[in-house]
Each structure stands twice: as structure tokens, then as C-alpha cells.
Amino acid sequence: MSINIRKATSADAPFLAQMILQSTRADKKIGIYDLIFKTTGDEEILKNLEKLTNTTAKSNCHFSNFLIAEIDGKSVGSLASYEPRIVTKEVFLASLSEIGVNGEESEYFGLMEICGFALNSRTLVFDYMEELEGFMDVGILKALMHKSLLNARLKGYRIAQTIVEIGSLETLLYYKKLGFKEIKQKECEPYKEIFGRAGLVLLSIEF
């Protein structure tokens, strides 16, 4: 089974929205975009996420940050990578404003100030590593990460980071299989109250 890795385009918005929602929900009742968009309705969230992938302000959701894996022409997986010094909170808020959402009103940003990590701005951040159901264990995520790390090396990066929820054992194990090491773990009661997960884990890889 041949896996093709390509850069995402604006036309991939529906697929990217699906992957972003799948990644942030991660078997929880609600994810961060339920908070940001103040709804648990999948249709509305997906519609907003589609718009978010194509805003002028290039947030972490912007299509230009994504690689897509294809099998026989079908999109089956995604992985985003971005620079935290460029993809800032202000950029994210600007992208939300473009689609008519006031991010300042969301409790998400206050929550992350308490429960999140201060990321090294000189590293690359990986996010939204996902694959479609029915395509597990065929090497999609490994192929996406291999290509992403290759691109990162060409840009001069030597360190990459990612954040995983405490309790997301499968995702945590997969990142560790890819060579990531746990840097720190942060338990956070407000995070647990909202999402039902104890907190977050920061992982890093040198390459």
C-alpha cells in the first residue's frame, strides 16, 4: 500500500476540519473548539474549522501548516507543524476574529494560561497528528512524521515539541515510538474539570 505525502491546499479545508476536530476531541465529550465556538454541535464546529483553515491570519489551523497523507488518492491522515514565534496567540485571535468569533470571550485562553506550557520559540511544534479510522497501523503517521522532520531539518530546526493530554496513552506511546521524550507533565484541576483529563504532557525530539 503506497502512501503519498503532500502539502495541504485550501481545497483540503473539509478534511482538515475533520482531522482537527478528531484530534482535539480525542475520545472526550468536548474539546477545545467546543469551548471556543461555544457549541457541541459537530456541524457548526466543522464549518467554523473549515473557515479557520483559510483565514488571512495564519493560525496553527491554517492549511499551509499541514501535510496530508493519501492512499490511492484518498486523504487518510494529517500532521501540522508551525513555529510558535510566528503562530502566536494574537495570530490565533485574529484568525478567529476573521470568521466572526470573539476569542477573548472564550474560557479556553485563560485555561491555557494556567494549565499550558511556555513553548521554546526556537523549536517547531507538531499538532493535529491524525489518521482516518480504517487506516490504522499502515504506517501513515510514521510517514507524515518522517516527511515533517525532513522538512524541519531543511529549515534548520533541530528540536521539535508537541503537547499531549495526560491519559491519552495511545497518542503518548506513538509519539514515544517516533523518538519523542517526555520533558514535563503538568496536572491541572481546572483542565480536569472541563475536559476530564488530569492535565498535559510536553514532549520533545532532537533530530
Side-chain angles (χ1 to χ4, degrees):
M1 191 179 290
S2 178
I3 301 170
N4 177 51
I5 306 295
R6 64 171 176 83
K7 289 183 178 181
T9 70
S10 59
D12 292 306
F15 178 73
L16 294 177
Q18 182 185 352
M19 293 294 95
I20 293 168
L21 182 57
Q22 185 175 307
S23 173
T24 51
R25 282 266 181 82
D27 299 322
K28 303 188 300 294
K29 287 182 179 178
I30 66 167
I32 66 170
Y33 291 102
D34 298 83
L35 282 190
I36 291 171
F37 299 138
K38 297 181 179 178
T39 177
T40 54
D42 287 8
E43 189 176 338
E44 189 176 347
I45 293 173
L46 288 168
K47 193 187 301 179
N48 280 328
L49 285 173
E50 281 189 41
K51 293 176 187 174
L52 209 55
T53 65
N54 276 286
T55 53
T56 304
K58 295 181 179 180
S59 73
N60 60 337
C61 295
H62 196 268
F63 74 84
S64 61
N65 296 319
F66 281 84
L67 290 179
I68 286 180
E70 292 180 327
I71 293 176
D72 297 330
K74 177 183 174 68
S75 297
V76 294
S78 71
L79 178 61
S81 61
Y82 53 88
E83 303 168 74
R85 66 186 179 86
I86 296 173
V87 181
T88 60
K89 174 186 173 183
E90 289 69 32
V91 170
F92 191 33
L93 286 170
S95 67
L96 288 171
S97 180
E98 278 188 55
I99 67 169
V101 175
N102 185 349
E104 297 281 10
E105 294 180 349
S106 170
E107 61 184 307
Y108 168 70
F109 294 100
L111 179 69
M112 293 315 293
E113 283 179 14
I114 300 167
C115 303
F117 296 105
L119 294 174
N120 182 341
S121 63
R122 296 185 180 276
T123 65
L124 204 63
V125 174
F126 287 121
D127 208 348
Y128 308 129
M129 183 174 73
E130 283 296 320
E131 56 192 349
L132 283 183
E133 279 189 44
F135 289 90
M136 311 292 184
D137 303 320
V138 296
I140 290 167
L141 300 183
K142 187 176 181 180
L144 281 164
M145 185 59 74
H146 178 76
K147 181 67 173 176
S148 291
L149 290 174
L150 184 63
N151 290 344
R153 283 191 197 100
L154 292 174
K155 290 179 181 177
Y157 285 97
R158 293 295 177 266
I159 300 173
Q161 296 179 307
T162 193
I163 295 170
V164 177
E165 289 175 323
I166 295 172
S168 293
L169 297 179
E170 194 174 321
T171 305
L172 197 57
L173 283 172
Y174 205 89
Y175 269 115
K176 287 182 176 180
K177 276 184 185 177
L178 292 169
F180 283 77
K181 294 180 180 178
E182 188 173 321
I183 303 300
K184 61 178 75 169
Q185 191 174 118
K186 189 174 184 180
E187 293 190 8
C188 188
E189 194 58 37
Y191 197 92
K192 186 177 181 180
E193 286 176 11
I194 294 172
F195 297 119
R197 297 281 171 88
L200 299 167
V201 182
L202 178 66
L203 301 164
S204 181
I205 187 172
E206 293 188 31
F207 50 91

